[in-house]
Amino acid sequence: MSDLKLFNIDEKPTWCPGCGDFGILAAIKQAFSQLDLQPHNTMLVSGIGCGSKLPYYMKANGFDALHGRALPVATGIKLANHELNVMAISGDGDGYGIGGNHLMHVMRRNPNLTHIIENNQVYGLTKGQYSPTSDRGYISSTSPEGSIEIMVNPMAVALAGGATFVGRGFAGDPKHLTQLIMKAIQHKGYALVDVLQPCVTYNKINTYDWYKERVYKVDDEEGFDSIDFGQAWAKAREWDERIPIGVIYQEDRPTYEEQVEELQKGPLMRWSPERPRDVLEAIKLEFV
Amino acid sequence: MAVVNDMTFKMGGEAGQGADTSGHGFAKALTRAGLGVYGLQDYMSRIRGGHNFFQIRVSDRDVQATSDAVHVLMPLDLETVHEHLNEVVPGGAVIMDSRLKVDDGLLTSRGVKPVRIPLTEIAQREGGNKIMMNTASLSVAAGISGLPFEYIEQVILDNFGSRKGSKIADANIAVARAAYDEGAREFGPDFDFKLEPRPTKPRMLINGNQAIAFGAAVAGCRWISMYPMTPATTITEWLAAHHRKLGIVVKECEDEITAVLMAIGAAHAGVRAMTATSGGGLSLMVEAVGLSAMTETPLVVVDAQRAGPSTGLPTRTEQSDLQFVMHLSQGEFPRVVLTPGTVEECFQAGWRAFNFAEKYQIPVFILTDMNQSSAIRAIDPDRLSLDEVTIDRGELLTDVDLDAMTEEYLRHKLTPSGVSPRALPGHPKGIVLTTSDEHYEDGQAVEEAEMRVLQMEKRMRKLDLAAQDIRAPLVEGAADADLTLVAWGSTYGPVHEARLLLAAEGLKVNHLHYHEVWPFPTARTEQILRNSRHIVDIENNYTGQLALVIKMMTGIDIAHRVLKYSGRPFTGDEIARKVREGVLAHV
Ligand SMILES: Cc1ncc(C[n+]2csc(CCOP(=O)(O)OP(=O)(O)O)c2C)c(N)n1
Ligand code: SF4
């Protein structure tokens, strides 16, 4: 365990008071500390959005990239230096909307990344438009009569896409969320953690109370086994009345890094750019 | 009288008939014979059918452009005859299978010699497979022009197992021998274009994309992420074929957005990283290029241009992305644009790009095009000299530097040069925070005006520094020229040749060529152009993009333009003719 204070920084979050992102920030710090991580060997890569500001608010290496683009930057960093503990952080618009294609392919690749998606079912930073995870009928400035699209089901998408770790947490239960994030970090491979995150300013439907009335922990369910895909699929389909949180699914599969020949002798970034002269001269002779 | 070592061969057929592979083999034989060789492939965006050709120009000199005139045409199908007969010069030959249904009168009326040889039959009889007809055809070409047979034999041995006794090699050699002998015996005495080997030390046969890839390899590039797009793909394919020897990670991605962002991630973590694409892919990368600039992450992007807009002509050439790469992405930031025009410059751009990227922590573009990416040229290996290569990582902090650090590390520290010492994430004393938002020195987002201005100026200062590293444009030809030909990138070869042609006519002409175009070498441009009486801008595009840049940067208006946007490369003859007709006739 490392000192939690190591991750503190003098930067006051600009989030609205009561925003679910506070709980997520606290849980990430806790998880890092309990897993004995240090600021210098962790790397937070985020997109753009309210939640994506998280890397500003804790001491760690941080890269706030573009809207929707945390995953490819995080993958590049991870493959160039796989000794870093890399965590990608997105909002729901960021991760399931504009960055949706990256999600689909990171799951196939299975790099050892933890991906936190702060799912507030709304576009927060752009002031409350409906998002890919807004419920059908959700009324917002860009859907005045209510959205006519059904929502993305992150759990089902992740299962279908081949994610090796699929979890859901709730920002209103940071203790449980900490445990979940720790499991995700310890998982070898791509771990998706969708976090139900109340947006107190714009989302007046999916509030703390709304979630509290519905969430339950899968671990409390008799006989639930997260390595059973069939059971996971059933859980993934639950939403309106009961919303499962915890590890929904987990499987073992080699990580991307483990399969790249060049990475087996240590991080790529340690290799000098100077290549042996004889190797280069020999390659040149191939053209002769 | 025989013309020695100055001729062009052209083999054409449907896609899948192998004109390009056979042509490449023939180019190798000619290279080994010590001749100047420039080979160009032309193909359609389809895998089977259609019409493809491979054209090889041979000379005593080092040639760097294709020519209008063809001396030996080798049609593998009828269409090739119809498409290209008008290019064959009087005295030239068309080497055909005896059975090809062409009216010989069509040829003889133009003074072209029908060289009819039972190519399929020879292939069947000697090799047991009519697929060897290409070998037969090229061997006839060698036979009539007097290239010693050993050069053909050697290439066959190279291609099909290097020992005699390999069945397939023996079969091909038998076919080649029979065809060569028949060609030499029946048609050689009457054919006036001849080849004479000139002993040289072994030379390389290399195209622009291979040279860029090799340059990147020498520079220590350890990462390329990409999404396939002609004509850029062969850069990645070459690196992938050498990934073991080089220790490089090659990552094919779901799209170009991913490709460029993964490269940015890898570069941020500390490896020399690049991506390669064409205009369509580059369009998708636009936002990320700004990210590289804002986070001051070194990035190398190759844009191998093809004819646009949109999907355009996927396998055809154009130089129409110059203004695009100079301006792409929102906001203002420093960047470097390299525009190599020869194989040597492709190699140099390949390694120099990484030094620019790391020294100034900026995005760097290498702009090449379809023509240059695939055209092969014979060169002395010393022209791609490893001795001239330097690896300059700029202000990159080592572990020792960081161990000794006493203050908090600031990724975007304000410095007089504008360059902030770069720490790589992973060291306890160098926690690295960066962001696409405008930021304070420590990487925290900022909205306050004062810091915005300071950071903006700091980034832009790097452009002034980079300008000092940019190579001045090349000036070749008469110092007191009346006529200046202005060009950039891959048109170097044909413009060079046009200058020689015009000079031979007694004109005082020079050639101003840009191979590193941004930051723009304004002073040198003014110095040359203000002294020129007539200036002609030559570009493979519609709008004369370089001329517009020159106007923007110097106020000099280039009135005369020779522009080509058919998707086909220039030839030297063509430029000289257009300058004569379109410019000189009117001044
Ligand atoms: C390419 C691009 N398009 C649009 C935006 C504007 N934008 C910024 S954040 C955002 C949505 C944020 O929603 P979400 O990802 O759900 O995160 P939240 O703010 O709710 O945490 C949008 C559309 C942008 N920054 N970049
Ligand atoms: S707008 Fe919503 S998501 Fe954004 S900070 Fe406020 S409460 Fe949080």
Side-chain angles (χ1 to χ4, degrees):
Chain A
M1 188 158 155
S2 55
D3 186 353
L4 186 64
K5 286 204 289 286
L6 282 176
F7 298 98
N8 287 347
I9 194 170
D10 279 347
E11 193 72 23
K12 262 190 65 189
T14 54
W15 295 318
C16 312
C19 173
D21 288 333
F22 285 102
I24 299 174
L25 175 63
I28 291 175
K29 284 191 195 172
Q30 269 294 346
F32 280 10
S33 149
Q34 295 204 23
L35 291 174
D36 197 26
L37 301 181
Q38 309 280 329
H40 74 274
N41 62 23
T42 53
M43 174 98 217
L44 305 171
V45 184
S46 66
I48 294 295
C50 292
S52 289
K53 294 183 178 181
L54 191 144
Y56 297 138
Y57 307 137
M58 60 182 280
K59 187 98 187 159
N61 294 297
F63 194 125
D64 277 46
L66 299 169
H67 188 36
R69 311 299 172 199
L71 283 175
V73 175
T75 305
I77 291 174
K78 184 72 188 182
L79 297 191
N81 185 356
H82 57 262
E83 286 179 356
L84 289 173
N85 296 283
V86 183
M87 176 177 275
I89 295 168
S90 317
D92 47 299
D94 201 79
Y96 302 131
I98 190 168
N101 198 26
H102 305 309
L103 178 65
M104 175 154 145
H105 296 279
V106 79
M107 296 189 290
R108 300 189 294 123
R109 267 172 212 138
N110 201 36
N112 194 5
L113 293 178
T114 313
H115 189 188
I116 309 288
I117 301 200
E118 300 146 308
N119 183 358
N120 54 15
Q121 303 188 252
V122 72
Y123 286 129
L125 193 60
T126 46
K127 301 195 189 298
Q129 302 81 6
Y130 77 108
S131 89
T133 48
S134 296
D135 269 319
R136 185 156 193 268
Y138 185 82
I139 293 178
S140 74
S141 57
T142 50
S143 56
E145 275 77 50
S147 137
I148 51 178
E149 293 161 70
I150 64 161
M151 64 185 259
V152 168
N153 177 338
M155 300 292 100
V157 165
L159 287 173
T164 52
F165 182 104
V166 182
R168 182 191 273 135
F170 174 39
D173 189 348
K175 256 210 183 109
H176 175 263
L177 183 58
T178 302
Q179 295 302 314
L180 178 63
I181 292 175
M182 285 170 64
K183 288 178 197 155
I185 294 173
Q186 285 167 315
H187 173 73
K188 231 165 44 67
Y190 173 74
L192 174 73
V193 180
D194 179 85
V195 186
L196 305 171
Q197 175 240 322
C199 167
V200 294
T201 303
Y202 293 112
N203 193 333
K204 306 293 186 190
I205 307 284
N206 310 101
T207 59
Y208 281 100
D209 287 343
W210 190 92
Y211 289 121
K212 271 190 191 137
E213 282 161 22
R214 289 167 175 79
V215 296
Y216 72 96
K217 299 180 176 118
V218 285
D219 283 349
D220 296 345
E221 290 266 295
E222 193 93 12
F224 176 75
D225 188 351
S226 64
I227 61 170
D228 180 335
F229 190 88
Q231 288 193 32
W233 187 254
K235 291 286 168 222
R237 303 202 19 140
E238 294 179 10
W239 179 257
D240 292 317
E241 266 91 61
R242 297 184 81 220
I243 302 176
I245 58 172
V247 181
I248 305 291
Y249 182 68
Q250 190 164 14
E251 77 173 60
D252 247 350
R253 204 168 72 220
T255 65
Y256 194 86
E257 305 87 280
E258 283 170 341
Q259 302 173 79
V260 178
E261 213 176 287
E262 280 72 22
L263 305 185
Q264 304 318 308
K265 283 184 253 160
L268 197 62
M269 52 85 70
R270 296 257 169 76
W271 297 36
S272 154
E274 310 266 355
R275 291 197 160 95
R277 177 89 182 208
D278 55 326
V279 171
L280 296 170
E281 293 287 4
I283 289 177
K284 226 171 125 179
L285 284 179
E286 294 172 12
F287 291 106
V288 171
Chain B
M1 221 190 70
V3 176
V4 178
N5 292 346
D6 186 8
M7 63 190 296
T8 294
F9 296 86
K10 188 169 208 156
M11 179 178 255
E14 290 182 9
Q17 281 189 310
D20 51 343
T21 358
S22 307
H24 198 275
F26 195 53
K28 196 145 210 179
L30 296 165
T31 302
R32 297 247 174 88
L35 302 170
V37 173
Y38 182 85
L40 181 72
Q41 57 173 320
D42 180 295
Y43 63 97
M44 297 173 76
S45 183
R46 56 196 284 177
I47 306 303
R48 289 274 182 267
H51 176 65
N52 292 355
F53 66 79
F54 197 93
Q55 181 159 336
I56 303 167
R57 182 148 172 230
V58 194
S59 172
D60 263 342
R61 296 183 290 119
D62 174 19
V63 272
Q64 305 194 32
T66 184
S67 66
D68 290 336
V70 170
H71 303 80
V72 177
L73 183 66
M74 291 166 276
L76 301 174
D77 63 356
L78 259 182
E79 191 183 344
T80 303
V81 183
H82 297 138
E83 282 270 323
H84 301 292
L85 181 58
N86 63 347
E87 297 160 21
V88 182
V89 298
V94 177
I95 298 171
M96 306 173 277
D97 190 75
S98 313
R99 287 183 293 187
L100 196 70
K101 289 195 181 55
V102 176
D103 172 9
D104 283 359
L106 269 180
L107 280 61
T108 47
S109 65
R110 310 177 41 104
V112 173
K113 300 181 170 141
V115 173
R116 285 202 179 267
I117 300 229
L119 299 171
T120 333
E121 198 190 304
I122 291 177
Q124 279 289 11
R125 188 183 69 220
E126 305 288 336
N129 194 336
K130 65 176 194 251
I131 227 172
M132 295 178 199
M133 177 187 155
N134 295 8
T135 305
S137 181
L138 288 165
S139 303
V140 173
I144 62 172
S145 51
L147 179 74
F149 183 71
E150 66 203 65
Y151 293 106
I152 300 290
E153 184 177 20
Q154 194 52 49
V155 167
I156 293 175
L157 287 173
D158 277 7
N159 286 358
F160 299 105
S162 53
R163 280 174 305 109
K164 281 201 185 185
S166 133
K167 251 195 179 150
I168 174 140
D170 283 352
N172 271 281
I173 290 172
V175 170
R177 184 83 247 182
Y180 182 94
D181 287 345
E182 185 161 343
R185 190 177 60 239
E186 301 294 327
F187 299 94
D190 205 23
F191 188 67
D192 282 340
F193 298 97
K194 296 296 183 197
L195 295 174
E196 278 173 16
R198 299 184 326 152
T200 49
K201 67 177 199 187
R203 288 174 314 148
M204 306 167 80
L205 192 58
I206 184 169
N207 68 34
N209 272 6
Q210 289 165 334
I212 289 173
F214 183 57
V218 174
C221 172
R222 295 216 179 266
W223 176 279
I224 183 163
S225 36
M226 54 74 78
Y227 186 84
M229 189 166 188
T230 306
T233 314
T234 51
I235 293 175
T236 308
E237 286 173 339
W238 189 89
L239 289 168
H242 293 85
H243 80 97
R244 276 216 176 111
K245 285 183 188 154
L246 293 174
I248 182 171
V249 174
V250 176
K251 184 75 205 81
E252 180 175 289
C253 302
E254 58 268 30
D255 57 29
E256 287 87 350
I257 299 178
T258 312
V260 65
L261 288 163
M262 278 197 190
I264 289 173
H268 181 74
V271 307
R272 291 193 142 192
M274 74 187 291
T275 182
T277 186
S278 189
L282 187 61
S283 302
L284 296 186
M285 294 181 182
V286 167
E287 191 189 19
V289 171
L291 177 70
S292 143
M294 191 55 145
T295 58
E296 307 195 76
T297 308
L299 173 68
V300 173
V301 182
V302 180
D303 174 12
Q305 302 158 101
R306 64 192 215 189
S310 192
T311 307
L313 296 168
T315 60
R316 311 260 166 218
T317 204
E318 204 162 82
Q319 295 183 296
S320 47
D321 293 353
L322 177 63
Q323 295 267 358
F324 178 44
V325 297
M326 280 176 53
H327 302 290
L328 64 81
S329 228
Q330 74 272 33
E332 299 161 303
F333 55 85
R335 69 188 79 191
V336 162
V337 182
L338 308 179
T339 51
T342 61
V343 161
E344 293 88 334
E345 288 175 4
C346 284
F347 170 70
Q348 288 157 8
W351 63 263
R352 282 171 62 76
F354 289 91
N355 288 349
F356 276 114
E358 289 212 305
K359 269 176 87 176
Y360 305 112
Q361 305 173 11
I362 53 171
V364 176
F365 295 95
I366 300 175
L367 209 50
T368 181
D369 55 39
M370 178 72 211
N371 177 40
Q372 179 159 259
S373 68
S374 58
I376 47 174
R377 189 173 131 234
I379 58 162
D380 182 330
D382 289 345
R383 297 192 58 94
L384 307 191
S385 164
L386 300 186
D387 294 327
E388 73 180 34
V389 177
T390 54
I391 292 181
D392 186 345
R393 303 204 68 182
E395 295 189 44
L396 185 63
L397 298 171
T398 61
D399 282 353
V400 180
D401 297 334
L402 285 163
D403 288 340
M405 202 138 102
T406 49
E407 307 128 43
E408 189 200 357
Y409 172 68
L410 301 173
R411 173 65 194 93
H412 299 288
K413 191 180 167 84
L414 297 167
T415 60
S417 68
V419 176
S420 317
R422 187 159 70 110
L424 304 177
H427 192 282
K429 292 218 181 145
I431 305 293
V432 183
L433 177 65
T434 190
T435 168
S436 64
D437 281 293
E438 187 60 273
H439 35 252
Y440 288 103
E441 290 179 283
D442 64 0
Q444 286 287 345
V446 66
E447 307 225 4
E448 169 228 321
E450 196 186 342
M451 182 51 70
R452 154 67 176 182
V453 170
L454 289 171
Q455 287 289 344
M456 189 72 189
E457 290 170 354
K458 159 199 143 58
R459 282 191 297 274
M460 295 310 288
R461 270 203 297 282
K462 298 189 291 185
L463 193 63
D464 304 332
L465 266 192
Q468 296 170 13
D469 277 357
I470 285 283
R471 287 183 175 166
L474 213 67
V475 186
E476 291 181 346
D480 54 342
D482 292 324
L483 174 70
T484 299
L485 309 178
V486 178
W488 63 279
S490 74
T491 53
Y492 172 79
V495 175
H496 175 78
E497 204 164 307
R499 176 179 67 78
L500 296 179
L501 290 170
L502 294 166
E505 292 166 16
L507 278 168
K508 279 205 259 171
V509 50
N510 64 4
H511 170 191
L512 176 63
H513 203 86
Y514 292 83
H515 43 189
E516 299 194 340
V517 82
W518 196 261
F520 191 71
T522 308
R524 182 73 175 142
T525 301
E526 301 231 21
Q527 195 184 30
I528 302 296
L529 294 186
R530 297 248 179 250
N531 289 319
S532 265
R533 283 189 40 216
H534 305 294
I535 310 171
V536 189
D537 172 59
I538 299 156
E539 301 187 53
N540 255 148
N541 58 43
Y542 184 90
T543 50
Q545 299 193 14
L546 175 68
L548 296 172
V549 176
I550 291 174
K551 170 88 176 172
M552 173 176 90
M553 299 304 293
T554 66
I556 297 171
D557 212 352
I558 302 182
H560 304 293
R561 314 240 170 125
V562 173
L563 303 172
K564 183 170 183 178
Y565 36 89
S566 59
R568 273 71 181 171
F570 280 114
T571 65
D573 294 330
E574 176 189 11
I575 294 171
R577 189 177 66 245
K578 288 184 171 159
V579 169
R580 253 182 250 120
E581 292 167 2
V583 183
L584 299 178
H586 299 101
V587 296

